[in-house]
Amino acid sequence: MASVTSSRTQGFAGLYESGELTDFTIECGKHSMRVHKVVLGAQSEHFRVLCGQKFKEGHEGKVVLKSTEDEDADDSCDDPEAIKLMVERIPTAFNTSRTPPGSGTSKQFKVVKAKANAKAKFTKFSKIRARPKTVPTTFGPPLPSDGNMVVHARVFAVATKYGIPALQTLACSKFTAAVAVNWDHPLFAEAAHIVYNTTVDSVRQLRDIVCETIRDHKNLLDVPAIESVIKSNTDLHHELLRLAYELPAVAKEGRGEDITEDEDMEDRELLSMVGGVSDSDSNSDNDSDSDSDSN
């Protein structure tokens, strides 16, 4: 079965590279890419519907995606390079599991981070033992790679937006590995901004990674770029506050009228810690209400 899948994947990839039998065009920014409807639709429900006969894109054989390079661009627009990577990856995505990344992401992140820390210690020790015999010609160490965390965040965003689970899984895995090693890179702030401004709050995979990284490396709070991202995003701000008080980053689902007594106490405790409503305030309010009712 694996050989059949591999052969099919190679066939789709070969057709994409050659441009043969293409019947649809995706345009975004400076990129114009010819693709196959059947391959695109097999990986993305969004494009399967769009390429049908109910929409003008299906009749015209072309879709123009709003680009971050446009004059009126905002965070809802697509990054052209991420779209290009998405299109290039789709023909080979049949070898990747279609199951979106789930609750195992945090566990995976901890494993990758532990390996990265061990590797970093070994590398540091090796550099001490083997000092260069010549003086470097550069005036300072080159800026280390960010592990392409920004690229992976943008690819995850478009994969989520256009419903491509296989690409979501791949981008999430690569983002996790990149952040575990390069969390102190200057571009981590940009990656955090992308994660929190291009996905909805119910898509937790990359958000959890960003939150846990800032919690585990508190010195990041002193970085001006990180501070700016946190202050500008209420979701990230609130989630970090919850983590600081050892609560889950996001409250349990199904709250509201069905909230339990324990959950109510949990919220009141958090509010009292940050100067919100206390139990005494609540009791005094109830007493005043009772007095007013009796009068």
Side-chain angles (χ1 to χ4, degrees), residues 83-109:
I83 293 295
K84 183 174 183 290
L85 288 171
M86 177 193 78
V87 170
E88 291 174 348
R89 181 62 189 172
I90 282 178
T92 61
F94 291 97
N95 277 345
T96 308
S97 170
R98 290 181 62 84
T99 304
S103 58
T105 305
S106 294
K107 182 178 180 181
Q108 176 194 9
F109 177 64

Side-chain angles (χ1 to χ4, degrees), residues 35-47:
V35 297
H36 302 83
K37 287 183 181 180
V38 64
V39 178
L40 195 62
Q43 290 294 333
S44 168
E45 178 69 15
H46 174 91
F47 284 113

Side-chain angles (χ1 to χ4, degrees), residues 7-292:
S7 177
R8 179 179 58 182
T9 299
Q10 291 176 5
F12 286 141
L15 284 174
Y16 171 74
E17 291 175 1
S18 67
E20 293 181 78
L21 307 179
T22 54
D23 52 4
F24 197 74
T25 301
I26 297 178
E27 292 185 2
C28 185
K30 61 183 180 181
H31 297 303
S32 179
M33 297 150 285
R34 293 288 295 169
V35 297
H36 302 83
K37 287 183 181 180
V38 64
V39 178
L40 195 62
Q43 290 294 333
S44 168
E45 178 69 15
H46 174 91
F47 284 113
R48 187 186 70 79
V49 175
L50 190 68
C51 291
Q53 298 301 309
K54 293 183 178 180
F55 296 92
K56 70 173 185 177
E57 288 83 358
H59 290 284
E60 297 176 354
K62 181 178 73 172
V63 61
V64 179
L65 305 177
K66 291 198 66 176
S67 165
T68 53
E69 297 176 352
D70 296 342
E71 293 183 0
D72 58 343
D74 55 34
D75 286 325
S76 66
C77 296
D78 296 317
D79 177 70
E81 298 304 322
I83 293 295
K84 183 174 183 290
L85 288 171
M86 177 193 78
V87 170
E88 291 174 348
R89 181 62 189 172
I90 282 178
T92 61
F94 291 97
N95 277 345
T96 308
S97 170
R98 290 181 62 84
T99 304
S103 58
T105 305
S106 294
K107 182 178 180 181
Q108 176 194 9
F109 177 64
K110 292 176 182 177
V111 172
V112 173
K113 183 170 67 173
K115 291 181 179 179
N117 290 338
K119 182 178 180 181
K121 290 180 180 178
F122 176 78
T123 303
K124 182 178 181 181
F125 178 74
S126 300
K127 288 181 179 179
I128 294 175
R129 291 290 300 274
R131 295 183 181 277
K133 296 181 180 179
T134 58
V135 178
T137 56
T138 57
F139 291 96
L143 189 67
S145 168
D146 70 326
N148 291 324
M149 68 175 80
V150 170
V151 173
H152 300 321
R154 286 176 172 163
V155 171
F156 182 87
V158 297
T160 302
K161 180 178 180 179
Y162 296 113
I164 310 175
L167 192 57
Q168 270 186 284
T169 302
L170 181 64
C172 179
S173 175
K174 289 183 176 293
F175 182 84
T176 299
V179 172
V181 178
N182 305 287
W183 58 267
D184 57 345
H185 193 279
L187 288 179
F188 177 66
E190 182 180 349
H193 172 83
I194 293 169
V195 168
Y196 273 85
N197 287 277
T198 60
T199 59
V200 295
D201 56 3
S202 60
V203 180
R204 295 300 317 161
Q205 292 81 22
L206 268 56
R207 290 184 174 218
D208 286 341
I209 298 303
V210 170
C211 262
E212 292 175 14
T213 299
I214 297 176
R215 178 199 61 191
D216 295 343
H217 302 284
K218 295 180 176 59
N219 55 314
L220 286 173
L221 296 171
D222 295 327
V223 178
I226 297 292
E227 181 182 6
S228 177
V229 172
I230 295 173
K231 286 182 175 180
S232 66
N233 193 286
T234 55
D235 283 353
L236 178 56
H237 198 161
H238 181 253
E239 289 168 17
L240 286 172
L241 176 63
R242 290 182 61 86
L243 289 179
Y245 288 108
E246 299 182 354
L247 297 172
V250 178
K252 296 178 181 179
E253 296 181 1
R255 299 172 72 86
E257 294 181 358
D258 297 330
I259 187 172
T260 65
E261 183 176 348
D262 290 341
E263 290 171 333
D264 182 61
M265 289 297 295
E266 179 183 283
D267 283 349
R268 289 187 177 280
E269 180 182 358
L270 178 60
L271 285 171
S272 64
M273 289 177 177
V274 296
V277 178
S278 64
D279 290 336
S280 58
D281 293 334
S282 177
N283 292 335
S284 62
D285 289 342
N286 291 335
D287 292 341
S288 62
D289 289 341
S290 300
D291 292 340
S292 61

